[in-house]
Amino acid sequence: MTAFVLGATGFVGREVVRQLCVRGASVVAHVRPDSRALADWQARFTALGATVDTTPWDQGALTDRLRALAPSQLYLLIGTTRARAKAEAVPGNIYEAIDLGLTATAVAAARASSAAPRLVYLSSIGADPAARSPYLAARGKAEAAVTGAGLPWVIARPSFIIGERDERRLGERASAVVGDALLAVAWLFGARRLRDRYRSTCADVLASALIRLAESPDHDRIVDGSGLR
């Protein structure tokens, strides 16, 4: 089994790589060829036992690479933040360009490669192409690209993901704390399903859930809430 991880340098992606390596899987961790921390990521992932791939974000190049590797699982853990996009001078709607655009490119490459990997897409609770939030709208459109690819797929929709990140997200952390507190109160009044669906999770638990979904015989399904814990 070979797992190809796109978004391997992200908060959840790096944990997916680590856990897959611990399990003895053959792991290919993708790092952008123009990453300023490329050498550091190569050292870090190689030490874990993963192979580092630096294929450019080009559909043809990714198609050729996937055809050669023939992975059984393709993890789509791609996303950005406003702060990161600003630092990298990404123009326009950053979520359309990164969260949707790169996911769609990867899905098209997987479809064209004939490798037929299972697509494991990390989305978000509330993802909907018609959402008012640009982030949730892009996630909803990306989900449509995944489900319409003609390949086996699973989609994870977590709520807030907490933990120590490279960049500080004080607003997200505060929202998670407040949200979890309100959900705990709701649980006391019987709203257990509401709490299970919307309470926060951490990267190691979510990574474990993604791997479990990737390896399960069941596919073509969306999982959120308690299904990711």
Side-chain angles (χ1 to χ4, degrees):
M1 182 201 76
T2 296
F4 193 101
V5 184
L6 290 167
T9 63
F11 184 50
V12 177
R14 68 190 71 168
E15 182 63 19
V16 168
V17 171
R18 186 192 71 79
Q19 291 191 26
L20 283 170
C21 287
V22 168
R23 295 164 68 92
S26 174
V27 186
V28 180
H30 182 265
V31 181
R32 283 171 32 202
D34 61 344
S35 171
R36 287 176 288 185
L38 177 58
D40 292 338
W41 287 116
Q42 286 177 322
R44 178 171 179 170
F45 288 143
T46 299
L48 289 173
T51 299
V52 175
D53 181 84
T54 57
T55 302
W57 274 106
D58 170 80
Q59 183 178 327
L62 280 173
T63 296
D64 291 342
R65 189 64 176 135
L66 291 173
R67 183 179 292 122
L69 290 171
S72 55
Q73 302 166 0
L74 179 61
Y75 288 84
L76 304 166
L77 314 178
I78 305 158
T80 192
T81 63
R82 292 190 181 279
R84 187 182 304 168
K86 182 178 181 180
E88 297 177 357
V90 178
N93 185 327
I94 60 172
Y95 303 119
E96 289 275 343
I98 306 298
D99 298 49
L100 170 58
L102 297 188
T103 298
T105 295
V107 169
R111 185 173 61 245
S113 72
S114 302
R118 174 176 294 197
L119 306 178
V120 184
Y121 179 55
L122 178 58
S123 186
S124 172
I125 197 77
D128 187 331
R132 292 185 177 182
S133 162
Y135 170 73
L136 294 178
R139 288 288 172 178
K141 293 173 185 177
E143 286 189 358
V146 169
T147 59
L151 299 171
W153 56 269
V154 289
I155 291 173
R157 286 181 176 174
S159 185
F160 291 107
I161 306 171
I162 57 175
E164 294 300 322
R165 300 175 182 262
D166 292 338
E167 73 273 14
R168 300 180 71 186
R169 297 189 186 180
L170 297 180
E172 183 176 88
R173 181 175 297 182
S175 296
V177 171
V178 173
D180 284 347
L182 292 174
L183 290 169
V185 173
W187 178 79
L188 293 175
F189 288 92
R192 181 171 183 174
R193 290 184 180 179
L194 183 69
R195 186 201 65 164
D196 288 346
R197 186 180 188 201
Y198 287 100
R199 68 174 174 163
S200 62
T201 188
C202 52
D204 58 338
V205 172
L206 181 55
S208 179
L210 291 170
I211 294 170
R212 184 176 69 250
L213 292 173
E215 297 178 348
S216 170
D218 300 322
H219 56 83
D220 296 2
R221 61 193 180 116
I222 297 174
V223 181
D224 61 20
S226 59
L228 297 176
R229 299 186 188 89

